[in-house]
Amino acid sequence: MAEYATFGLAPATRAGGVLPDGGYQAHRDFLDFIVDGRALLARLDDLDAVSPLAADLGPSIFTAHVRRLLLDAEPPLADGRYVLYGCPECEGLACGAVTAVIERDGPDIVWRDFAWQTDETPDLARDGYHGIGPFRFRAGEYRATLERLLADGIPEAAARRVLLVGGRVAVPARLAAALRSIGVGAEITRDAAGAAGEELRTYAAVAFDPTVGEDERAAVRAAFAAAGSDAVVVEPLAPIVPLLVARIEEALQRTPDDRRPLTALTATTAEAHVEVSAACRVRLTGYRLDRLHRVRAHDLLDARLEPGRHTVPLDGRLGKRGKGGTFVVARTFGDVRVARVKRVSGGPREIRFGRDRLSG
């Protein structure tokens, strides 16, 4: 008989965002399954997915998912299979889902035959997760963990509310709309310095429009400090909405650096340095404004990176220096970082990307 594994749940996030093509990536808060002290999702090859225990489901749907995992309801799929992770944007199998057989074995609960499933019957030989499971849980611990959700519900997510200081036109208005579309509350004001302390404490971040002068920014910072707020202050960047969204998402990220997938990001005109703490897929995008104040987005990388520090060549790929600066945004599941590109002199040279040599 297989050894017992421990079972638990922990809050997790699939970060929303504004994509380079102008589309939106939905923000989802959910509970991840913790098996033997490690998040199960982290074992699944950098999968962009969420569990059925999501915060934005209605109470009846959330309860139905919990009861299925407790085996108090019929399995949703054939052969006793249950969905453990699905598409963050929809709930259909067409996008693919991680499923497993969940069954009773005497007094125990067993999760086995993990697979990537896109139709009614998975091909275990082709699409099975052969290195994962089976997991045998003690029924008492397993049931107690899930039954607490029926009484308490999903833990409330941390505050995701941002105050935008500036005029209600152009970039601030578009930025507020983009933030709201990914689940971040956003309000625009020009008199934040006079707001009540209890109101200021409801914001996790405050961002300034470039039109706001230094004296006004100092007064707003002082008002937040006097209110005892721990809001992160986001100083003005180039007026590029996807870039500003990414910077605000980064400001809202309260996970310690040593526990984040993206542990560091720096960039010069010659190269970007990305450091990851675990194997994950990383998208790297450059942003700048051209001489006519048009937004230029540059796809720089979309690849799975192994743990460690990686160098990506940028020589000539970002074009001329943008008005207001040039920036690089790194994204992976649940994390985002922003770096200003620093200008360096010198021509193309050979560099390293992971263990492979590339010509810059």
Side-chain angles (χ1 to χ4, degrees):
M1 185 175 71
E3 294 183 1
Y4 284 107
T6 61
F7 179 82
L9 298 168
T13 297
R14 190 263 196 164
V18 179
L19 304 179
D21 62 3
Y24 297 105
Q25 177 174 286
H27 178 92
R28 302 292 302 279
D29 292 303
F30 63 99
L31 292 176
D32 198 2
F33 305 109
I34 307 300
V35 179
D36 283 338
R38 184 182 175 193
L40 181 57
L41 186 58
R43 309 184 192 199
L44 297 175
D45 196 27
D46 186 39
L47 187 66
D48 183 12
V50 300
S51 82
L53 305 179
D56 53 359
L57 299 176
S60 60
I61 298 176
F62 182 83
T63 298
H65 285 310
V66 174
R67 293 204 176 280
R68 284 174 180 168
L69 294 171
L70 286 167
L71 303 182
D72 292 342
E74 292 297 314
L77 302 172
D79 302 321
R81 301 193 72 83
Y82 294 77
V83 175
L84 299 181
Y85 298 101
C87 173
E89 309 287 344
C90 69
E91 295 188 19
L93 278 179
C95 294
V98 176
T99 68
V101 174
I102 302 180
E103 62 185 5
R104 294 183 179 89
D105 184 12
D108 304 327
I109 302 293
V110 174
W111 288 15
R112 62 174 176 84
D113 295 341
F114 290 78
W116 177 252
Q117 188 167 344
T118 56
D119 52 34
E120 292 302 315
T121 304
D123 185 333
L124 293 180
R126 182 189 64 194
D127 299 323
Y129 288 98
H130 302 294
I132 297 178
F135 300 120
R136 179 177 294 273
F137 305 113
R138 290 181 172 86
E141 175 191 48
Y142 179 89
R143 291 191 64 87
T145 299
L146 290 169
E147 286 173 348
R148 279 196 292 271
L149 297 179
L150 298 178
D152 302 334
I154 192 169
E156 187 173 343
R160 288 173 55 82
R161 197 164 175 237
V162 177
L163 183 64
L164 307 178
V165 180
R168 296 179 179 274
V169 294
V171 173
R174 297 200 303 272
L175 176 57
L179 289 169
R180 291 166 190 153
S181 73
I182 62 170
V184 177
E187 286 80 42
I188 304 172
T189 186
R190 203 58 196 259
D191 57 358
E198 56 267 24
E199 175 66 15
L200 296 181
R201 287 192 293 272
T202 66
Y203 295 100
V206 54
F208 295 105
D209 183 74
T211 61
V212 177
E214 177 53 40
D215 290 345
E216 186 176 350
R217 295 202 298 271
V220 172
R221 287 193 292 265
F224 271 85
S229 167
D230 61 354
V232 177
V233 176
V234 180
E235 297 295 345
L237 299 179
I240 301 171
V241 170
L243 169 66
L244 296 171
V245 169
R247 179 63 189 95
I248 289 172
E249 287 181 88
E250 184 181 31
L252 294 174
Q253 172 64 265
R254 299 301 176 90
T255 305
D257 280 355
D258 60 357
R259 292 174 52 195
R260 291 173 60 177
L262 294 170
T263 53
L265 172 68
T266 59
T268 68
T269 50
E271 58 196 30
H273 300 283
V274 185
E275 187 172 331
V276 297
S277 61
C280 59
R281 177 186 173 190
V282 175
R283 298 198 311 270
L284 204 65
T285 308
Y287 292 99
R288 65 182 178 88
L289 291 177
D290 66 16
R291 293 183 180 276
L292 298 178
H293 293 271
R294 295 173 298 192
V295 175
R296 299 298 186 186
H298 305 266
D299 294 325
L300 305 173
L301 175 74
D302 188 348
R304 177 179 170 83
L305 303 183
E306 296 301 317
R309 190 172 185 263
H310 303 267
T311 302
V312 183
L314 299 182
D315 294 280
R317 299 173 66 192
L318 291 174
K320 297 181 179 179
R321 182 177 177 83
K323 289 185 174 295
T326 302
F327 300 83
V328 170
V329 174
R331 283 190 178 277
T332 190
F333 177 77
D335 202 4
V336 59
R337 283 191 182 271
V338 178
R340 182 185 291 269
V341 176
K342 297 180 180 179
R343 181 164 293 278
V344 296
S345 59
R349 56 193 176 87
E350 188 178 55
I351 66 170
R352 287 186 178 274
F353 170 68
R355 296 182 180 177
D356 301 321
R357 301 183 73 84
L358 302 174
S359 293

